[in-house]
């Protein structure tokens, strides 16, 4: 199992597309830092609530500026390259002719994709926190959406919860993208289908709007004292998407 994980990790980081996407994302980190600084440190909890960035609230607000890129560009490209790109190039056949259970391979691919996004979120959190400390006004307390006023420890815990929920949503997006990548005949169609499914989810139900506006939805969830968003909505979606993934992956003829 460890060898399979390491092999998948090596193949992922050896792809040119992975390096290009990570380099572009690093450039966006620098651009957003410069943009927020030039804009006088003003950001938004959502379209109706502007907020001044300070040393305590910078990490969640920094992710808000980049979550759309992660959802609609980074994840679809990474997942399509892993699940579909290897199939169309023939690389996946070379892996599957070895004595590996195909479900183990699926979980290794899925886990590596989750790890990639986790690392991206960690980097974003570090850069966003540094932005607050270095470039924004130093404060002893800050107020988040819903009137929650917190101090240094409270802001840190809020950021952890914020990034944690966003990560759970991104995992669900990874699962949706992997379904599309297995079903579609090539990587480009996989990306297009994933983006279409994310946008289309808004029209299916307003409750699924978190796929389109990740951070805005999380700000609203954290401002509600009775929210059961993770238990009642996100985890069931993640579970169902994983079950569909396993069924489709197992029945797919990869080495024909």
């Amino acid at each position: 199992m460890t060898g399979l994980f390491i092999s998948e990790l090596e193949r992922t980081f050896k792809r040119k597309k992975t390096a290009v996407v990570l380099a572009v994302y690093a450039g966006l980190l620098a651009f957003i830092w410069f943009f927020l600084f030039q804009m006088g440190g003003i950001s938004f909890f959502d379209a109706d609530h502007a907020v001044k960035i300070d040393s305590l609230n910078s990490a969640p607000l920094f992710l808000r500026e980049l979550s759309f890129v992660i959802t609609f560009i980074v994840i679809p490209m990474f997942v399509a390259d892993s699940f579909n790109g290897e199939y169309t190039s023939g690389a996946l056949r070379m892996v599957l002719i070895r004595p590996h259970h195909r479900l183990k391979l699926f979980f290794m691919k899925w886990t590596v994709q989750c790890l990639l996004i986790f690392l991206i979120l960690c980097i974003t959190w570090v850069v966003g926190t540094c932005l607050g400390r270095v470039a924004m006004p130093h404060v002893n307390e800050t107020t988040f959406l819903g009137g929650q006023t917190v101090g240094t420890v409270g802001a840190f815990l809020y950021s952890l919860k914020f990034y944690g929920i966003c990560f759970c949503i991104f995992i669900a997006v990874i699962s949706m993208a992997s379904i599309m990548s297995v079903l579609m005949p090539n990587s480009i169609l996989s990306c297009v289908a994933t983006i279409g499914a994310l946008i289309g989810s808004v029209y299916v139900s307003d409750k699924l709007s978190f796929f389109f506006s990740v951070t805005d939805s999380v700000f609203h969830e954290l401002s509600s004292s009775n929210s059961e968003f993770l238990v009642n909505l996100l985890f069931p979606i993640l579970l169902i998407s994983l079950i569909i993934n396993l069924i489709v992956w197992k029945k797919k003829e990869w080495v024909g």
Side-chain angles (χ1 to χ4, degrees), residues 221 226-234:
E221 290 301 322
N226 298 316
S227 175
E228 296 181 352
F229 167 72
L230 289 176
V231 176
N232 293 339
L233 189 59
L234 186 56

Side-chain angles (χ1 to χ4, degrees), residues 10-25:
E10 289 178 346
R11 292 200 307 277
T12 298
F13 281 98
K14 284 181 179 179
R15 297 187 193 110
K16 291 182 179 179
K17 191 176 295 183
T18 301
V20 170
V21 172
L22 291 176
V24 170
Y25 189 79

Side-chain angles (χ1 to χ4, degrees), residues 63 70-71 75 110 114 117-118 121 160-176 198 210-211 214 218 229-231 233-239 241-242:
L63 179 58
I70 296 174
T71 305
I75 292 177
W110 185 82
C114 292
I117 299 304
F118 178 77
L121 287 179
L160 287 182
K161 290 190 290 184
F162 185 89
Y163 272 74
I165 296 175
C166 287
F167 181 55
C168 290
I169 295 175
F170 291 142
I171 291 176
V173 175
I174 290 171
S175 299
M176 290 177 59
L198 293 172
F210 62 85
F211 280 128
V214 175
V218 176
F229 167 72
L230 289 176
V231 176
L233 189 59
L234 186 56
F235 286 164
I237 290 174
L238 179 57
L239 179 61
S241 63
L242 278 176

Side-chain angles (χ1 to χ4, degrees), residues 58-122:
S58 57
L61 293 170
F62 195 68
L63 179 58
R64 184 184 187 274
E65 306 299 328
L66 291 159
S67 62
F68 189 87
V69 175
I70 296 174
T71 305
F72 288 93
I73 298 178
V74 175
I75 292 177
M77 291 186 67
F78 277 165
V79 175
D81 212 31
S82 175
F83 284 84
N84 191 294
E86 285 192 348
Y87 170 61
T88 54
S89 68
L92 189 59
R93 294 179 180 85
M94 298 301 296
V95 177
L96 286 172
I97 61 176
R98 299 173 183 175
H100 299 309
H101 196 288
R102 59 169 60 192
L103 293 185
K104 287 184 179 179
L105 179 59
F106 166 79
F107 277 115
M108 290 304 100
K109 285 182 169 294
W110 185 82
T111 301
V112 167
Q113 295 305 307
C114 292
L115 178 61
L116 269 174
I117 299 304
F118 178 77
L119 291 176
I120 286 175
L121 287 179
C122 287

Side-chain angles (χ1 to χ4, degrees), residues 40-57:
I42 300 295
S43 186
F44 300 86
F45 290 127
D46 58 26
D48 300 318
H49 298 88
V51 60
K52 182 78 172 179
I53 303 177
D54 56 47
S55 59
L56 298 182
N57 66 12

